Structures are given as C-alpha cells and as structure tokens.
Amino acid sequence: MNLFYNVNGIGDVLLVQLTTARSQSVTIKSYGDVTAIHDETSDELVALNLFHASIYVDVEKLSGDELSEEIVKQLQEALHKNGADIQLEVDLSPKFVVGHVTKKEKHPNADKLSICTVDIGDETVQIVCGAPNVDAGQKVVVAKVGAVMPSGMVIRDAELRGVASAGMICSAKELALPDAPEEKGILVLNSDAVVGTSFKK
C-alpha cells in the first residue's frame, strides 16, 4: 500500500494505492468521504481516495517513506466511519533496505546496463542497473517492488531490454539525500551495513 498526500497540489485528499498493477478500466464506489476504486475485470480493490483526510489521519506523519501501523489504523477507522466495509491488508515491512550485490553480469542487449544479483535479507533478487559504479561486493540501498520514491515513482516488477528486474539499486539523488552528488552512480554503503535492515536517511 502506498500513500500520496499533497495538500498544495490536490487539496486535503489522501490517495491510497493498494496494488502496483495497472488497471485497464475501473469502477468507482463512494462511501461518504471515501471513494473506492475497483478493477472492472477482477473487481479487486486497487485504490482509495479519502477526502477531508486531515480529519481522519495525522497528515503530518505522511511524509516518511515507510508506512506506519498507526496510519493504517487511522485509515481503517476512517473507512468504518464512512460505512465502507473494507478490511485493509497491509505489508508493513520496510521497502528501502540494505542489499549486498553478490554478482554482476553484463546485460546481453545493452552496453550500459548490468544484471545484478542482490541479497536483501529475506530473499535474493535480480536487478538491472545502469549505474557505472555498481559492482559485486558492494552494500547498497535497494528500493523493493512496491516502494514509492521521493519523486513519487512507484517501483514495479519490470523488464529492461528483455531481462527481468525486481527493484532498484538507488543513488543518493534518487533517495533525495542532502548534498547528493550530481554525477551518476549508486550510493555505496559502509561494509558494516547489515543486509536486510531498513535504510534510514
């Protein structure tokens, strides 16, 4: 589940994305301040809009990259108050984690891309990376599938030039870190960084 809140851009509305899949057509149901958006084909609930969000949710705590149990609870209560019989099932595991690049191979169809095998603690994933400085043995920051970047981009399972990629190895600039260098390249962490733990800015 990903949350988007920009009071200056769209007003006091909390946009809740429940899946990274894209729907071709949707149906909309309204419950007071809640709009539920369903995939028309599967009837799966794909998104919610919560109007007058600041009445229901502590919007000051919506700026972080990771979702909190407190916000989920407030959102669930908002659904019930508006008569929406919807039970949220939320993955609260961190979406930005320390990874260890265990293997790097040249992409067969692109000179500037590498295929990286990355240990992220609970699993090992394959990520296609275009950074010139990525290499085996590095500790890096991985945005897992489902993560929302500071730019608003959602990380999805992808295929880059015919090779599957699950996640993104991040640069300091992509993570919106202060004093991030302008030159291209991933953020390389200290060797004592613990694989699988949440990355904190």
Side-chain angles (χ1 to χ4, degrees):
M1 182 167 83
N2 299 311
L3 306 181
F4 302 90
Y5 183 79
N6 182 343
V7 69
N8 295 320
I10 58 174
D12 190 16
V13 184
L14 177 61
L15 308 179
V16 183
Q17 184 179 14
L18 297 169
T19 174
T20 57
R22 293 184 175 92
S23 299
Q24 297 299 319
S25 56
V26 298
T27 56
I28 294 173
K29 300 174 185 175
S30 294
Y31 310 87
D33 283 336
V34 175
T35 298
I37 302 164
H38 295 257
D39 181 276
E40 192 171 53
T41 305
S42 65
D43 200 38
E44 178 189 7
L45 181 65
V46 295
L48 296 164
N49 294 342
L50 177 62
F51 296 88
H52 308 110
S54 59
I55 296 173
Y56 304 100
V57 176
D58 187 352
V59 294
E60 297 298 320
K61 296 183 178 179
L62 291 175
S63 58
D65 296 325
E66 303 293 354
L67 195 58
S68 73
E69 194 171 343
E70 179 187 359
I71 293 296
V72 173
K73 185 178 178 183
Q74 291 172 356
L75 184 55
Q76 186 68 71
E77 288 174 356
L79 294 175
H80 288 156
K81 284 177 183 175
N82 283 279
D85 186 19
I86 297 169
Q87 188 64 39
L88 297 173
E89 295 180 11
V90 181
D91 175 12
L92 289 171
S93 64
K95 296 295 181 285
F96 292 87
V97 298
V98 176
H100 177 228
V101 181
T102 59
K103 187 178 179 183
K104 172 192 165 185
E105 297 175 282
K106 188 178 181 303
H107 193 296
N109 304 317
D111 291 340
K112 294 184 178 180
L113 295 179
S114 301
I115 303 170
C116 299
T117 303
V118 188
D119 176 8
I120 55 173
D122 57 347
E123 62 179 322
T124 298
V125 295
Q126 176 175 283
I127 300 176
V128 177
C129 181
N133 66 326
V134 69
D135 211 349
Q138 292 172 335
K139 298 284 182 70
V140 296
V141 180
V142 173
K144 297 168 68 175
V145 171
V148 180
M149 302 301 295
S151 66
M153 180 179 72
V154 179
I155 302 301
R156 296 180 167 90
D157 280 312
E159 194 173 281
L160 300 174
R161 295 286 185 92
V163 175
S165 182
M168 184 170 83
I169 301 174
C170 303
S171 69
K173 189 174 182 180
E174 288 163 337
L175 293 166
L177 298 181
D179 302 319
E182 284 299 316
E183 60 267 21
K184 288 184 177 180
I186 56 160
L187 174 65
V188 180
L189 303 175
N190 292 331
S191 59
D192 58 356
V194 180
V195 172
T197 58
S198 176
F199 173 74
K200 303 295 184 186
K201 292 182 182 180

